[in-house]
């Protein structure tokens, strides 16, 4: 009997040694959530629930399991067969397994002493504490209903010397009504929005005249994009966007005496309210050697037929000087279906840089190249987008309508944004405008 007891004891110890360890929140799930999810899922951020504590995370255990198994979260839409990206949000299989096992095992808390050190998030900013915050000087009134034209707000920077911005972030004061923010840099001497009073929301006159003429003629009000080409991008906000973070040695140039122009897209939600949005800036600690510029390959001349489930729109841009490609950001609206970037080098070689086969308007993602790519002068950047204007698209506002380029989300856009690095003395026009041929000198 004594021998039998020893054998049974040994068997129990052996089983205990080989039994899978209990997966708990503090020891196993929290490190995964901290690394991959808390950027958005914490108080004050875009995630609708917080994954900071066990108490706020536990009710969502099953939803977390479903989201990671279907790869709905974290959002990432690049086809892995094309390009490598430094900010790839895809969860490692081991992390997926951990979260699924935690949910399946009853979402136990475990020992709080096993928790990793909490991340020191800076409330309200993802770039850490800004060196400077540029804010709207007064609140903007947002009506309870109706279509709201883009509002442009000019804010003088007050910079008395050139500034080099390494990190920038646009933050909505009232995310419930702010659809997007684009902060443009308006350099001294730029006549764009010259009639706008600093700090006061402004709608360009040509847009007002167009709206009045359309109303008089009984036409539907159509809007066009203002902004591109009027100044370089400094920062932006839209669903899913992240701050603009440049590597040491690279920066956005804001010249002395420049203004920021905030392009504000407000969406009425049934309740009259106000908004004061802000731009946070972190300056480079030393003078950079490369300037980051934002370019775009865009097409505003299209008409998507009613019911068309796969309408194609193309755009291209030929570089007039050398540039190093840093990242890509495709942009469409609710009918956006897929988006692809390709390049043809001067040698004739072709390459697909990014393929987004299932575009999701709810997540405006930037794809940062793992290795920046030199694009020599003469490189052609081509973008191809497909739109689903059929009844099968659950986000389609109206499949019976022909759809054109426009600002509102029930209209469409086709823009392939990209950031490139160039020498500090180069401008966007150097890259986009063909250079005039040299004129022959006088004959002797």
């Amino acid at each position: 009997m004594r021998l039998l007891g020893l054998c049974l004891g040994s068997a129990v110890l052996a089983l205990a040694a080989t039994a899978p360890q209990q997966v708990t929140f503090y020891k196993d799930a929290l490190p995964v959530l901290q690394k991959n999810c808390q950027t958005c899922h914490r108080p004050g951020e875009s995630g609708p629930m917080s994954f900071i504590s066990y108490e706020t995370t536990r009710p969502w255990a099953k939803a977390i399991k479903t989201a990671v198994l279907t790869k709905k979260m974290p959002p990432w839409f690049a086809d892995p067969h094309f390009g490598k990206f430094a900010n790839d949000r895809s969860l490692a299989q081991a992390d997926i397994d951990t979260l699924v096992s935690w949910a399946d095992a009853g979402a136990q808390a475990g020992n709080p002493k096993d928790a990793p050190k909490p991340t020191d998030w800076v409330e309200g900013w993802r770039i850490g504490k800004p060196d400077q915050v540029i804010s709207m000087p007064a609140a903007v009134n947002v009506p309870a209903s109706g279509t709201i034209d883009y509002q442009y707000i000019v804010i003088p920077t007050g910079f008395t010397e050139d500034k080099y911005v390494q990190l920038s972030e646009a933050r909505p004061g009232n995310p419930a009504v702010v659809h997007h923010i684009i902060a443009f840099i308006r350099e001294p001497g730029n006549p764009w929005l010259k009639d706008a009073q600093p700090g006061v929301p402004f709608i360009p006159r040509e847009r007002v005249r167009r709206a009045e003429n359309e109303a008089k003629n009984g036409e539907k009000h159509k809007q066009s994009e203002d902004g591109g080409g009027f100044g370089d991008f400094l920062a932006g906000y839209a669903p899913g966007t992240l701050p603009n973070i440049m590597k040491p040695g690279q920066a956005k140039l804001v010249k002395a005496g420049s203004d920021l122009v905030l392009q504000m897209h407000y969406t009425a939600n049934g309740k009259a309210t106000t908004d004061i949005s802000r731009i946070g800036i972190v300056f480079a600690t030393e003078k950079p050697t490369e300037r980051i510029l934002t370019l775009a390959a865009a097409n505003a001349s299209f008409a998507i037929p009613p019911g068309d489930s796969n309408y194609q729109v193309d755009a291209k841009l030929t570089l007039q000087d050398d540039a190093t490609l840093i990242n890509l950001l495709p942009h469409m609206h609710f009918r956006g279906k897929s988006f692809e970037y390709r390049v043809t080098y001067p040698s004739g070689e072709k390459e697909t840089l990014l393929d987004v086969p299932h575009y999701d308007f709810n997540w405006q993602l930037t794809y940062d190249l793992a290795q920046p790519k030199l694009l020599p002068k003469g490189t052609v950047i081509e973008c191809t987008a497909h739109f689903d204007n059929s009844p099968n698209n659950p986000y389609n506002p109206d499949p019976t309508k022909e759809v054109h380029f426009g600002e509102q989300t029930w209209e469409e856009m086709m823009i392939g944004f990209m950031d490139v690095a160039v020498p500090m003395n180069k401008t966007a026009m150097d890259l986009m405008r063909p250079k005039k041929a040299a004129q022959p000198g006088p004959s002797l």
Side-chain angles (χ1 to χ4, degrees), residues 30-94:
L30 182 56
V32 177
L33 297 171
Q34 192 177 84
K35 180 177 67 174
N36 299 281
C37 309
Q38 287 184 3
T39 300
C40 294
H41 289 277
R42 57 188 172 94
E45 294 301 325
S46 58
M49 69 288 291
S50 172
F51 294 158
I52 295 291
S53 71
Y54 175 72
E55 289 72 22
T56 60
T57 307
R58 172 64 182 83
W60 301 97
K62 289 184 178 179
I64 292 172
K65 172 185 172 181
T66 301
V68 299
L69 282 176
T70 59
K71 300 189 176 179
K72 182 179 179 180
M73 288 285 154
W76 186 255
F77 309 113
D79 185 331
H81 296 95
F82 303 99
K84 300 294 182 183
F85 302 97
N87 62 333
D88 188 337
R89 298 181 180 184
S90 303
L91 281 182
Q93 188 59 49

Side-chain angles (χ1 to χ4, degrees), residues 92-270:
Q93 188 59 49
D95 290 339
I96 294 174
D97 294 343
T98 294
L99 295 176
V100 170
S101 297
W102 175 64
D104 286 345
Q108 299 299 310
N111 188 344
K113 292 182 179 180
D114 292 334
K117 181 181 177 181
T119 301
D120 187 19
W121 302 106
V122 176
E123 184 177 355
W125 298 102
R126 299 187 187 186
I127 57 173
K129 184 179 179 181
D131 292 330
Q132 185 164 346
V133 176
I134 298 176
S135 175
M136 292 178 179
V140 174
N141 294 315
V142 182
S145 61
T147 298
I148 305 169
D149 278 308
Y150 281 17
Q151 309 287 305
Y152 290 84
I153 302 172
V154 176
I155 307 175
T157 63
F159 294 163
T160 57
E161 60 182 6
D162 292 352
K163 295 286 189 178
Y164 304 97
V165 177
Q166 193 167 350
L167 291 82
S168 58
E169 181 179 359
R171 298 287 298 182
N174 190 341
V177 293
V178 176
H179 174 270
H180 82 235
I181 305 168
I182 299 177
F184 294 99
I185 303 166
R186 188 177 72 172
E187 295 185 354
N190 187 340
W192 178 44
L193 302 181
K194 60 183 176 60
D195 295 328
Q197 181 181 343
V200 179
F202 181 78
I203 302 173
R205 286 182 180 177
E206 60 87 15
R207 187 176 303 180
V208 174
R209 286 196 301 267
R210 185 174 63 247
E212 290 172 347
N213 290 335
E214 288 165 350
K216 186 167 74 173
N217 297 328
E219 299 173 1
K220 181 181 176 181
H221 177 37
K222 295 180 181 179
Q223 297 173 310
S224 62
E225 175 71 1
D226 280 340
F230 296 113
D232 193 24
F233 284 47
L234 178 65
Y237 164 84
T241 53
L242 293 175
N244 196 7
I245 299 174
M246 284 146 280
K247 296 179 180 178
Q250 299 177 337
K252 288 277 186 177
L253 170 61
V254 185
K255 291 184 177 180
S258 292
D259 300 318
L260 292 192
V261 176
L262 304 191
Q263 182 195 80
M264 303 297 303
H265 181 184
Y266 292 108
T267 303
N269 67 353

Side-chain angles (χ1 to χ4, degrees), residues 231-315:
D232 193 24
F233 284 47
L234 178 65
Y237 164 84
T241 53
L242 293 175
N244 196 7
I245 299 174
M246 284 146 280
K247 296 179 180 178
Q250 299 177 337
K252 288 277 186 177
L253 170 61
V254 185
K255 291 184 177 180
S258 292
D259 300 318
L260 292 192
V261 176
L262 304 191
Q263 182 195 80
M264 303 297 303
H265 181 184
Y266 292 108
T267 303
N269 67 353
K271 180 181 178 182
T273 185
T274 61
D275 169 68
I276 299 179
S277 292
R278 303 173 295 162
I279 308 297
I281 293 172
V282 174
F283 298 113
T285 55
E286 57 186 42
K287 188 171 181 178
T289 58
E290 290 186 309
R291 180 181 187 180
I292 301 299
L293 295 170
T294 301
L295 308 179
N299 187 338
S301 301
F302 56 79
I304 306 174
D308 195 318
S309 64
N310 199 42
Y311 186 78
Q312 181 171 319
V313 179
D314 298 297

